[in-house]
Amino acid sequence: MLVSLKEMLQEAEKNNFAIASINTPNQISLRAVIQAAEDTGMPVTINHAQTEQSVVPIDIAVPLMLDYAKKSTAAISVHVDHGYDFEHCMKAVRLGCTSIMYDCSRFPLEKNIEEVKRFVEIVKPLGIGVEAELGAMPNNMPSDVHGQETSDLSDLSVYYTDPDEAALFCERTGVDVLTTSFGTVHGMYAGEPNLDIERIRKIKSQAGQVHLGMHGGSGTPFDQIQQAIDAGIKKINYFTAIDTAPAPYLLKTIQESKNPVNFCNLANQAMEIIYQKTVEILTVFKNAGR
Ligand code: 13P
């Protein structure tokens, strides 16, 4: 069933778990992620990122995502991940996305606030949730598929979110979800992950009713993920570890096959691996039984 991210987050706050926010830029991952949500009973946000336009344009992806969400027995919301342009985000509104990340974190604080505030004023009356980012997410993607430049990862603290600025940002924009930076990396970590959990607690205590998001979930040790949930993070973006999981297995299948390899068989194998990886991460995000 199609459920708003906001409803899911209220449930997550009440029961101290995190909503997985997973990019599904093809039908293999879309089906696998939804199946994992159904089998674990966990709500999931399926994403289309603006950088995935070259893989599948939003006007093709979102109608399909909405159709799968509506037919699923799991609670699924359909979300735009890192929408950088106002026009792109407005297109997502017209297509029926239940929430949108309008990412203006590349701008100075005041312009980030102004842009996000304007967007919130337009889409909130339509019942659409808005996520924004403050601080910056460093990038270290495994390939240039997403067209993102690799960041300098020598000192992640230069990207961190300031708790005072977070409080100001939330008060002035009225945003529903604030993504903050406290040591995670989009893609792969360069060194040992070491999240600034105390920073999450400070942001949570200063930023009012906003829900806190964490990006760059892949590669983060599970105990640190659960500490982040306990400290206030309730939406976690997780993609690279899922998207890269099938490749080694597919390579082995191709190398060991004595016959030409059927693409449909590879697709089915990839779907099973993505499913298993998603079940694993949803179980961590459930944050239960510790
Ligand atoms: P990872 O690919 O590092 O898990 O991050 C995903 C993400 O934050 C998408 O916005």
Side-chain angles (χ1 to χ4, degrees):
M1 70 211 89
L2 185 64
V3 174
S4 74
L5 175 60
K6 235 175 139 179
E7 279 173 77
M8 290 180 180
L9 284 167
Q10 278 158 4
E11 200 57 34
E13 298 283 0
K14 218 182 330 156
N15 295 309
N16 196 31
F17 66 88
I19 307 296
S21 186
I22 303 173
N23 297 40
T24 54
N26 57 72
Q27 264 201 79
I28 306 296
S29 50
L30 184 53
R31 288 184 58 196
V33 167
I34 288 189
Q35 189 65 53
E38 290 180 355
D39 291 352
T40 56
M42 285 287 280
V44 168
T45 291
I46 50 175
N47 302 339
H48 179 275
Q50 190 174 345
T51 50
E52 288 160 352
Q53 279 288 91
S54 60
V55 183
V56 56
I58 190 168
D59 37 350
I60 303 289
V62 164
L64 193 66
M65 290 158 75
L66 286 168
D67 194 40
Y68 271 99
K70 285 175 190 164
K71 287 176 181 153
S72 174
T73 55
I76 306 288
S77 65
V78 176
H79 179 76
V80 168
D81 186 32
H82 295 284
Y84 296 111
D85 303 328
F86 181 77
E87 291 71 22
H88 180 83
C89 292
M90 290 311 291
K91 197 172 196 182
V93 171
R94 282 200 304 277
L95 287 167
C97 287
T98 46
S99 52
I100 297 168
M101 179 184 196
Y102 185 36
D103 182 358
C104 297
S105 60
R106 65 197 177 283
F107 296 129
L109 177 65
E110 196 54 37
K111 185 162 165 64
N112 190 354
I113 289 175
E114 274 170 24
E115 283 288 325
V116 172
K117 182 172 184 289
R118 172 171 75 124
F119 189 66
V120 169
E121 281 168 359
I122 295 168
V123 308
K124 219 169 197 170
L126 304 173
I128 297 170
V130 179
E131 177 181 2
E133 180 173 310
L134 184 66
M137 278 304 304
N139 271 318
N140 189 24
M141 302 305 269
S143 75
D144 60 2
V145 158
H146 297 277
Q148 288 161 329
E149 282 171 27
T150 300
S151 312
D152 179 356
L153 302 178
S154 54
D155 177 11
L156 295 181
S157 71
V158 300
Y159 303 106
Y160 285 3
T161 306
D162 178 82
D164 294 333
E165 285 189 0
L168 179 78
F169 188 92
C170 294
E171 194 193 315
R172 296 219 5 230
T173 61
V175 76
D176 300 295
V177 182
L178 183 67
T179 277
T180 53
S181 183
F182 47 85
T184 58
V185 172
H186 268 148
M188 293 170 306
Y189 287 92
E192 278 301 301
N194 184 19
L195 306 193
D196 187 347
I197 301 292
E198 196 42 45
R199 184 169 297 267
I200 304 171
R201 279 199 201 95
K202 272 201 194 122
I203 295 170
K204 182 74 192 160
S205 76
Q206 288 182 225
Q209 293 303 305
V210 77
H211 303 289
L212 294 184
M214 161 177 147
H215 281 227
S218 297
T220 312
F222 293 165
D223 65 320
Q224 290 192 44
I225 287 181
Q226 292 182 325
Q227 284 172 42
I229 296 172
D230 289 343
I233 294 294
K234 295 294 178 280
K235 170 180 180 286
I236 301 181
N237 283 46
Y238 202 94
F239 182 52
T240 300
I242 292 174
D243 200 40
T244 56
Y249 297 94
L250 302 185
L251 189 63
K252 190 163 182 284
T253 301
I254 294 165
Q255 282 170 342
E256 289 177 359
S257 176
K258 293 185 178 55
N259 300 309
V261 182
N262 183 306
F263 177 71
C264 289
N265 289 347
L266 290 180
N268 278 335
Q269 193 184 358
M271 189 152 57
E272 177 59 26
I273 293 158
I274 291 173
Y275 166 80
Q276 283 170 9
K277 194 77 199 161
T278 308
V279 167
E280 180 187 44
I281 202 64
L282 292 181
T283 309
V284 174
F285 290 5
K286 197 175 252 178
N287 198 25
R290 285 186 296 138

